[in-house]
Amino acid sequence: FSISSVVEGTNVSAANQHGSATSTMAAFNTGDISEKATHPEITHHCPQPLEIYWIVQCEDQGSSDQLCEVQYRPQDQQGWTQEEDILRSFLLLTPRPYTVYEFQVRCACEGPQALMSDWSSVYKAWSSESAPVKALDVWSDCGVTSELSQCALMWKEMPTWLAQGKVLGYVVTLSYSNGTVAVVNVSMSKPGGLCVCQEKRCRFTPSLWGVSSVDVSVYNSQGASKPAPLALPTSGLQVPELSFTVNQDILSLNVSWSLPPQAIENMHEYVVQYKQVGLPPTQGFDWIIVHQNHTSVILRGDFENHTAYNVSLFAVFINSSCLLASAISYSLHGLPPKVTEFKVQHISDSQVTLSWQHISLTQSKGLILCYQLVLNNVTVYNVSRDQNSLHLLGLTSGHHQVWIRAETKAGLGPSETINFSTENSHGFLKYLVPGIIAGMLLLIMIIVQMKTCAKVPDPSNSKLLQQMKLQFNSSLTAIFSPLESNPKISELEVVENPFWDANACPRKRSSPDGQTEGVVGEERTHIRTDEEAVKEEDADEGYSKIIDTDEEERDGGESGSLLEDDQFVSDYEKHFMPVVV
């Protein structure tokens, strides 16, 4: 029921320690109070232009008139924007393209004192797409080199509110030094392939070898963005020196530098990049663009403890870039590990050279400040982190001990020890003199052995073997000769010499028992002709005897007293044939 024509009034009071206050009296007619309407229901929307529609049940209260309020906001924002005196629909003017908006509506049914309904449930609607309005953020990861063949083209994914639509792909334009141009369409409907996107960064997989310029643009259903040029890395440019400082914690990299004394000509902006040491290309990698008038920037990220990051500052020109400075930084420093391959490189009487292997950035757990070496627990040497050897002079003769350890901001690491000994300059003589004497004795023994070594004649020059060979060949000729039907095995010819005197040259024959037999008769004599004598001399000369001058001197010319029978015996038979004892 309702009470009509009743006027009531009320006021409000407030008080604190300083006093109190009371509002003026407010009067209202209870007859004007009506029931609160049910909350409206948003039914649908139109994306372009973005307009929402709803319904509200005012007929139940005997009225068809309604007055509504609308509030809306982008989904990524907290505050609401309200619009009043709305009837049955709401048109959002100039919405952000391709953005999710949230809407709520409440209404009151007829009458100035009508009560507003509760807010409706949240209704979400996408705004229409539009062509991208901003260029991509393009950069390259070249590692420690400036060679384009080693560089990886990268760009950051454009945020939705900048892409103004669903990204369908990218267009990469490659201009080569030989004048050719290649346009590559990278479609996002085919993951992998020419483009790999991870953690809001995309990598173009083909090589950049031979390119002179690179442009990248992004496109959606409504159009494409302006091409973004890649600042190709260059070297050899004259750039001023500047101070470069990096302070790092777990959540951020605080990078600062000084302005060069003279402005860098044609420079457009700075780029600060960081790269986690030891990872493959494009991994643990990020960059940020900095205005040319700024001298500091903070890079946010989830940096790992005890991990090295290479932070670099670049100057960017129209289509090129140049490295200005770089530094190694750690988010948190730890104690370094033990130094390895600590050894004696060279040692002499009173000095020694020690060497070791540098601790790599991926294993140091912090920036190495120096290497500390201690000699005999007394003398301390602090060696620069860039060196890996130490030369010690003026050492005394005897045993020495040296240990080494690395140092970071967290402190000194574990030590590695090495022991060695030094001697005076006369110590080696006691080994040198006996060595020389032993070598001389060995040389004398070799010479003596060579002098006393017997020379063995060549058996192929033996007269005995030559005679046997001639007889064998004669026998074969006689046996297989077709001209002789009655071959003769031997033939004896006796020739008388009327001038021969048997008593002048008696020949005696020895019997097997050592007794001398009688003189051989005429039937066994043969006068050697001059032709036969020449043949025998030629046969003697055909034998190449090895002459030992030492033996000739030792024999003292006794060979001339040999018997006549011995002159037909070769040196080979003398050496190898048995003799009668």
Side-chain angles (χ1 to χ4, degrees), residues 501-527:
D501 187 0
N503 295 326
C505 184
R507 292 177 58 108
K508 296 182 181 181
R509 185 173 56 189
S510 300
S511 63
D513 56 356
Q515 301 295 326
T516 302
E517 297 183 359
V519 178
V520 180
E522 293 181 4
E523 68 277 10
R524 302 193 58 171
T525 61
H526 177 74
I527 300 303

PDB file of all heavy atoms in Angstrom, residues 501-527:
ATOM      1  N   ASP A 501     160.885 -80.371 -71.575  1.00  0.00           N
ATOM      2  CA  ASP A 501     161.828 -81.141 -70.772  1.00  0.00           C
ATOM      3  C   ASP A 501     161.102 -81.590 -69.541  1.00  0.00           C
ATOM      4  O   ASP A 501     160.679 -80.779 -68.708  1.00  0.00           O
ATOM      5  CB  ASP A 501     163.042 -80.277 -70.406  1.00  0.00           C
ATOM      6  CG  ASP A 501     164.111 -81.112 -69.704  1.00  0.00           C
ATOM      7  OD1 ASP A 501     163.895 -82.338 -69.515  1.00  0.00           O
ATOM      8  OD2 ASP A 501     165.123 -80.498 -69.320  1.00  0.00           O
ATOM      9  N   ALA A 502     160.935 -82.894 -69.400  1.00  0.00           N
ATOM     10  CA  ALA A 502     160.201 -83.455 -68.252  1.00  0.00           C
ATOM     11  C   ALA A 502     160.912 -83.200 -66.976  1.00  0.00           C
ATOM     12  O   ALA A 502     160.305 -83.056 -65.919  1.00  0.00           O
ATOM     13  CB  ALA A 502     159.963 -84.951 -68.460  1.00  0.00           C
ATOM     14  N   ASN A 503     162.228 -83.161 -66.953  1.00  0.00           N
ATOM     15  CA  ASN A 503     162.958 -82.975 -65.698  1.00  0.00           C
ATOM     16  C   ASN A 503     162.980 -81.518 -65.275  1.00  0.00           C
ATOM     17  O   ASN A 503     163.356 -81.203 -64.143  1.00  0.00           O
ATOM     18  CB  ASN A 503     164.403 -83.477 -65.870  1.00  0.00           C
ATOM     19  CG  ASN A 503     164.413 -84.993 -66.123  1.00  0.00           C
ATOM     20  OD1 ASN A 503     163.581 -85.712 -65.589  1.00  0.00           O
ATOM     21  ND2 ASN A 503     165.392 -85.447 -66.915  1.00  0.00           N
ATOM     22  N   ALA A 504     162.649 -80.639 -66.236  1.00  0.00           N
ATOM     23  CA  ALA A 504     162.743 -79.223 -65.877  1.00  0.00           C
ATOM     24  C   ALA A 504     161.626 -78.801 -64.969  1.00  0.00           C
ATOM     25  O   ALA A 504     161.796 -77.924 -64.137  1.00  0.00           O
ATOM     26  CB  ALA A 504     162.726 -78.360 -67.145  1.00  0.00           C
ATOM     27  N   CYS A 505     160.450 -79.420 -65.091  1.00  0.00           N
ATOM     28  CA  CYS A 505     159.292 -78.992 -64.253  1.00  0.00           C
ATOM     29  C   CYS A 505     158.546 -80.216 -63.817  1.00  0.00           C
ATOM     30  O   CYS A 505     157.492 -80.553 -64.356  1.00  0.00           O
ATOM     31  CB  CYS A 505     158.415 -78.060 -65.050  1.00  0.00           C
ATOM     32  SG  CYS A 505     157.035 -77.401 -64.083  1.00  0.00           S
ATOM     33  N   PRO A 506     159.112 -80.996 -62.904  1.00  0.00           N
ATOM     34  CA  PRO A 506     158.410 -82.208 -62.429  1.00  0.00           C
ATOM     35  C   PRO A 506     157.202 -81.804 -61.582  1.00  0.00           C
ATOM     36  O   PRO A 506     157.243 -80.870 -60.815  1.00  0.00           O
ATOM     37  CB  PRO A 506     159.477 -82.917 -61.608  1.00  0.00           C
ATOM     38  CG  PRO A 506     160.367 -81.841 -61.118  1.00  0.00           C
ATOM     39  CD  PRO A 506     160.376 -80.796 -62.181  1.00  0.00           C
ATOM     40  N   ARG A 507     156.101 -82.550 -61.767  1.00  0.00           N
ATOM     41  CA  ARG A 507     154.888 -82.339 -60.961  1.00  0.00           C
ATOM     42  C   ARG A 507     154.674 -83.575 -60.149  1.00  0.00           C
ATOM     43  O   ARG A 507     154.732 -84.676 -60.633  1.00  0.00           O
ATOM     44  CB  ARG A 507     153.656 -82.088 -61.832  1.00  0.00           C
ATOM     45  CG  ARG A 507     153.706 -80.760 -62.578  1.00  0.00           C
ATOM     46  CD  ARG A 507     152.488 -80.658 -63.450  1.00  0.00           C
ATOM     47  NE  ARG A 507     151.297 -80.773 -62.616  1.00  0.00           N
ATOM     48  CZ  ARG A 507     150.523 -79.717 -62.362  1.00  0.00           C
ATOM     49  NH1 ARG A 507     150.804 -78.546 -62.868  1.00  0.00           N
ATOM     50  NH2 ARG A 507     149.459 -79.876 -61.598  1.00  0.00           N
ATOM     51  N   LYS A 508     154.441 -83.410 -58.927  1.00  0.00           N
ATOM     52  CA  LYS A 508     154.213 -84.504 -58.009  1.00  0.00           C
ATOM     53  C   LYS A 508     152.790 -84.466 -57.540  1.00  0.00           C
ATOM     54  O   LYS A 508     152.201 -83.404 -57.372  1.00  0.00           O
ATOM     55  CB  LYS A 508     155.180 -84.409 -56.824  1.00  0.00           C
ATOM     56  CG  LYS A 508     156.638 -84.568 -57.257  1.00  0.00           C
ATOM     57  CD  LYS A 508     157.539 -84.510 -56.044  1.00  0.00           C
ATOM     58  CE  LYS A 508     159.018 -84.650 -56.450  1.00  0.00           C
ATOM     59  NZ  LYS A 508     159.924 -84.631 -55.285  1.00  0.00           N
ATOM     60  N   ARG A 509     152.240 -85.636 -57.242  1.00  0.00           N
ATOM     61  CA  ARG A 509     150.868 -85.735 -56.765  1.00  0.00           C
ATOM     62  C   ARG A 509     150.887 -86.355 -55.404  1.00  0.00           C
ATOM     63  O   ARG A 509     151.555 -87.348 -55.170  1.00  0.00           O
ATOM     64  CB  ARG A 509     150.063 -86.578 -57.744  1.00  0.00           C
ATOM     65  CG  ARG A 509     148.593 -86.646 -57.397  1.00  0.00           C
ATOM     66  CD  ARG A 509     147.821 -87.348 -58.480  1.00  0.00           C
ATOM     67  NE  ARG A 509     148.389 -88.692 -58.701  1.00  0.00           N
ATOM     68  CZ  ARG A 509     148.010 -89.471 -59.716  1.00  0.00           C
ATOM     69  NH1 ARG A 509     147.142 -89.050 -60.591  1.00  0.00           N
ATOM     70  NH2 ARG A 509     148.554 -90.668 -59.863  1.00  0.00           N
ATOM     71  N   SER A 510     150.190 -85.798 -54.553  1.00  0.00           N
ATOM     72  CA  SER A 510     150.146 -86.283 -53.168  1.00  0.00           C
ATOM     73  C   SER A 510     149.077 -87.331 -53.053  1.00  0.00           C
ATOM     74  O   SER A 510     147.971 -87.211 -53.595  1.00  0.00           O
ATOM     75  CB  SER A 510     149.837 -85.133 -52.208  1.00  0.00           C
ATOM     76  OG  SER A 510     150.841 -84.148 -52.303  1.00  0.00           O
ATOM     77  N   SER A 511     149.403 -88.402 -52.343  1.00  0.00           N
ATOM     78  CA  SER A 511     148.443 -89.471 -52.073  1.00  0.00           C
ATOM     79  C   SER A 511     147.593 -89.095 -50.872  1.00  0.00           C
ATOM     80  O   SER A 511     147.941 -88.202 -50.106  1.00  0.00           O
ATOM     81  CB  SER A 511     149.187 -90.776 -51.806  1.00  0.00           C
ATOM     82  OG  SER A 511     149.980 -90.609 -50.636  1.00  0.00           O
ATOM     83  N   PRO A 512     146.503 -89.814 -50.683  1.00  0.00           N
ATOM     84  CA  PRO A 512     145.648 -89.494 -49.518  1.00  0.00           C
ATOM     85  C   PRO A 512     146.343 -89.655 -48.199  1.00  0.00           C
ATOM     86  O   PRO A 512     145.979 -89.013 -47.232  1.00  0.00           O
ATOM     87  CB  PRO A 512     144.471 -90.482 -49.669  1.00  0.00           C
ATOM     88  CG  PRO A 512     144.419 -90.793 -51.129  1.00  0.00           C
ATOM     89  CD  PRO A 512     145.841 -90.778 -51.589  1.00  0.00           C
ATOM     90  N   ASP A 513     147.369 -90.510 -48.107  1.00  0.00           N
ATOM     91  CA  ASP A 513     148.053 -90.689 -46.826  1.00  0.00           C
ATOM     92  C   ASP A 513     149.165 -89.696 -46.626  1.00  0.00           C
ATOM     93  O   ASP A 513     149.944 -89.829 -45.674  1.00  0.00           O
ATOM     94  CB  ASP A 513     148.619 -92.115 -46.750  1.00  0.00           C
ATOM     95  CG  ASP A 513     149.543 -92.422 -47.911  1.00  0.00           C
ATOM     96  OD1 ASP A 513     149.675 -91.538 -48.811  1.00  0.00           O
ATOM     97  OD2 ASP A 513     150.116 -93.509 -47.913  1.00  0.00           O
ATOM     98  N   GLY A 514     149.262 -88.699 -47.518  1.00  0.00           N
ATOM     99  CA  GLY A 514     150.261 -87.652 -47.332  1.00  0.00           C
ATOM    100  C   GLY A 514     151.566 -87.937 -48.019  1.00  0.00           C
ATOM    101  O   GLY A 514     152.457 -87.121 -47.977  1.00  0.00           O
ATOM    102  N   GLN A 515     151.761 -89.142 -48.679  1.00  0.00           N
ATOM    103  CA  GLN A 515     153.011 -89.457 -49.360  1.00  0.00           C
ATOM    104  C   GLN A 515     152.986 -88.919 -50.756  1.00  0.00           C
ATOM    105  O   GLN A 515     151.964 -88.840 -51.413  1.00  0.00           O
ATOM    106  CB  GLN A 515     153.209 -90.992 -49.401  1.00  0.00           C
ATOM    107  CG  GLN A 515     153.252 -91.604 -48.024  1.00  0.00           C
ATOM    108  CD  GLN A 515     154.451 -91.143 -47.233  1.00  0.00           C
ATOM    109  OE1 GLN A 515     155.525 -90.909 -47.806  1.00  0.00           O
ATOM    110  NE2 GLN A 515     154.275 -91.021 -45.905  1.00  0.00           N
ATOM    111  N   THR A 516     154.213 -88.623 -51.241  1.00  0.00           N
ATOM    112  CA  THR A 516     154.326 -88.051 -52.579  1.00  0.00           C
ATOM    113  C   THR A 516     154.503 -89.142 -53.577  1.00  0.00           C
ATOM    114  O   THR A 516     155.331 -90.048 -53.404  1.00  0.00           O
ATOM    115  CB  THR A 516     155.529 -87.095 -52.645  1.00  0.00           C
ATOM    116  OG1 THR A 516     155.321 -86.089 -51.657  1.00  0.00           O
ATOM    117  CG2 THR A 516     155.642 -86.468 -54.013  1.00  0.00           C
ATOM    118  N   GLU A 517     153.679 -89.089 -54.671  1.00  0.00           N
ATOM    119  CA  GLU A 517     153.770 -90.087 -55.712  1.00  0.00           C
ATOM    120  C   GLU A 517     154.823 -89.678 -56.750  1.00  0.00           C
ATOM    121  O   GLU A 517     155.427 -88.609 -56.657  1.00  0.00           O
ATOM    122  CB  GLU A 517     152.402 -90.267 -56.379  1.00  0.00           C
ATOM    123  CG  GLU A 517     151.340 -90.803 -55.399  1.00  0.00           C
ATOM    124  CD  GLU A 517     150.035 -91.028 -56.093  1.00  0.00           C
ATOM    125  OE1 GLU A 517     149.950 -90.760 -57.302  1.00  0.00           O
ATOM    126  OE2 GLU A 517     149.076 -91.466 -55.421  1.00  0.00           O
ATOM    127  N   GLY A 518     154.981 -90.482 -57.747  1.00  0.00           N
ATOM    128  CA  GLY A 518     155.986 -90.238 -58.780  1.00  0.00           C
ATOM    129  C   GLY A 518     155.616 -89.097 -59.686  1.00  0.00           C
ATOM    130  O   GLY A 518     154.547 -88.545 -59.629  1.00  0.00           O
ATOM    131  N   VAL A 519     156.546 -88.841 -60.566  1.00  0.00           N
ATOM    132  CA  VAL A 519     156.388 -87.729 -61.484  1.00  0.00           C
ATOM    133  C   VAL A 519     155.353 -88.092 -62.501  1.00  0.00           C
ATOM    134  O   VAL A 519     155.319 -89.224 -63.009  1.00  0.00           O
ATOM    135  CB  VAL A 519     157.704 -87.381 -62.154  1.00  0.00           C
ATOM    136  CG1 VAL A 519     157.549 -86.256 -63.148  1.00  0.00           C
ATOM    137  CG2 VAL A 519     158.719 -87.038 -61.091  1.00  0.00           C
ATOM    138  N   VAL A 520     154.485 -87.132 -62.838  1.00  0.00           N
ATOM    139  CA  VAL A 520     153.421 -87.358 -63.820  1.00  0.00           C
ATOM    140  C   VAL A 520     154.054 -87.417 -65.197  1.00  0.00           C
ATOM    141  O   VAL A 520     154.928 -86.608 -65.535  1.00  0.00           O
ATOM    142  CB  VAL A 520     152.382 -86.217 -63.763  1.00  0.00           C
ATOM    143  CG1 VAL A 520     151.277 -86.455 -64.780  1.00  0.00           C
ATOM    144  CG2 VAL A 520     151.791 -86.133 -62.356  1.00  0.00           C
ATOM    145  N   GLY A 521     153.621 -88.349 -65.979  1.00  0.00           N
ATOM    146  CA  GLY A 521     154.205 -88.566 -67.287  1.00  0.00           C
ATOM    147  C   GLY A 521     153.732 -87.575 -68.315  1.00  0.00           C
ATOM    148  O   GLY A 521     152.989 -86.668 -68.041  1.00  0.00           O
ATOM    149  N   GLU A 522     154.193 -87.840 -69.544  1.00  0.00           N
ATOM    150  CA  GLU A 522     153.876 -86.928 -70.621  1.00  0.00           C
ATOM    151  C   GLU A 522     152.412 -86.958 -70.981  1.00  0.00           C
ATOM    152  O   GLU A 522     151.858 -85.967 -71.445  1.00  0.00           O
ATOM    153  CB  GLU A 522     154.707 -87.294 -71.857  1.00  0.00           C
ATOM    154  CG  GLU A 522     156.182 -87.053 -71.679  1.00  0.00           C
ATOM    155  CD  GLU A 522     156.965 -87.416 -72.941  1.00  0.00           C
ATOM    156  OE1 GLU A 522     156.312 -87.767 -73.943  1.00  0.00           O
ATOM    157  OE2 GLU A 522     158.173 -87.281 -72.910  1.00  0.00           O
ATOM    158  N   GLU A 523     151.773 -88.158 -70.766  1.00  0.00           N
ATOM    159  CA  GLU A 523     150.358 -88.219 -71.133  1.00  0.00           C
ATOM    160  C   GLU A 523     149.484 -87.294 -70.304  1.00  0.00           C
ATOM    161  O   GLU A 523     148.350 -87.041 -70.633  1.00  0.00           O
ATOM    162  CB  GLU A 523     149.849 -89.662 -71.009  1.00  0.00           C
ATOM    163  CG  GLU A 523     149.780 -90.168 -69.595  1.00  0.00           C
ATOM    164  CD  GLU A 523     151.120 -90.694 -69.080  1.00  0.00           C
ATOM    165  OE1 GLU A 523     152.112 -90.467 -69.795  1.00  0.00           O
ATOM    166  OE2 GLU A 523     151.158 -91.286 -68.009  1.00  0.00           O
ATOM    167  N   ARG A 524     149.996 -86.754 -69.230  1.00  0.00           N
ATOM    168  CA  ARG A 524     149.188 -85.876 -68.374  1.00  0.00           C
ATOM    169  C   ARG A 524     149.662 -84.446 -68.462  1.00  0.00           C
ATOM    170  O   ARG A 524     149.303 -83.620 -67.667  1.00  0.00           O
ATOM    171  CB  ARG A 524     149.242 -86.351 -66.936  1.00  0.00           C
ATOM    172  CG  ARG A 524     148.744 -87.775 -66.810  1.00  0.00           C
ATOM    173  CD  ARG A 524     148.508 -88.098 -65.395  1.00  0.00           C
ATOM    174  NE  ARG A 524     147.533 -87.149 -64.821  1.00  0.00           N
ATOM    175  CZ  ARG A 524     147.024 -87.336 -63.621  1.00  0.00           C
ATOM    176  NH1 ARG A 524     147.379 -88.377 -62.879  1.00  0.00           N
ATOM    177  NH2 ARG A 524     146.191 -86.441 -63.137  1.00  0.00           N
ATOM    178  N   THR A 525     150.508 -84.195 -69.409  1.00  0.00           N
ATOM    179  CA  THR A 525     151.015 -82.826 -69.528  1.00  0.00           C
ATOM    180  C   THR A 525     150.269 -82.094 -70.628  1.00  0.00           C
ATOM    181  O   THR A 525     149.750 -82.706 -71.574  1.00  0.00           O
ATOM    182  CB  THR A 525     152.512 -82.844 -69.826  1.00  0.00           C
ATOM    183  OG1 THR A 525     152.718 -83.527 -71.053  1.00  0.00           O
ATOM    184  CG2 THR A 525     153.268 -83.541 -68.714  1.00  0.00           C
ATOM    185  N   HIS A 526     150.217 -80.780 -70.445  1.00  0.00           N
ATOM    186  CA  HIS A 526     149.546 -79.938 -71.451  1.00  0.00           C
ATOM    187  C   HIS A 526     150.212 -78.570 -71.441  1.00  0.00           C
ATOM    188  O   HIS A 526     150.354 -77.954 -70.380  1.00  0.00           O
ATOM    189  CB  HIS A 526     148.054 -79.787 -71.123  1.00  0.00           C
ATOM    190  CG  HIS A 526     147.340 -78.879 -72.094  1.00  0.00           C
ATOM    191  ND1 HIS A 526     147.029 -79.268 -73.385  1.00  0.00           N
ATOM    192  CD2 HIS A 526     146.901 -77.603 -71.948  1.00  0.00           C
ATOM    193  CE1 HIS A 526     146.404 -78.270 -73.965  1.00  0.00           C
ATOM    194  NE2 HIS A 526     146.326 -77.238 -73.111  1.00  0.00           N
ATOM    195  N   ILE A 527     150.639 -78.168 -72.613  1.00  0.00           N
ATOM    196  CA  ILE A 527     151.292 -76.867 -72.718  1.00  0.00           C
ATOM    197  C   ILE A 527     150.216 -75.797 -72.928  1.00  0.00           C
ATOM    198  O   ILE A 527     149.375 -75.890 -73.821  1.00  0.00           O
ATOM    199  CB  ILE A 527     152.284 -76.866 -73.898  1.00  0.00           C
ATOM    200  CG1 ILE A 527     153.341 -77.927 -73.673  1.00  0.00           C
ATOM    201  CG2 ILE A 527     152.932 -75.473 -74.012  1.00  0.00           C
ATOM    202  CD1 ILE A 527     154.114 -77.779 -72.393  1.00  0.00           C
TER     203      ILE A 527
END
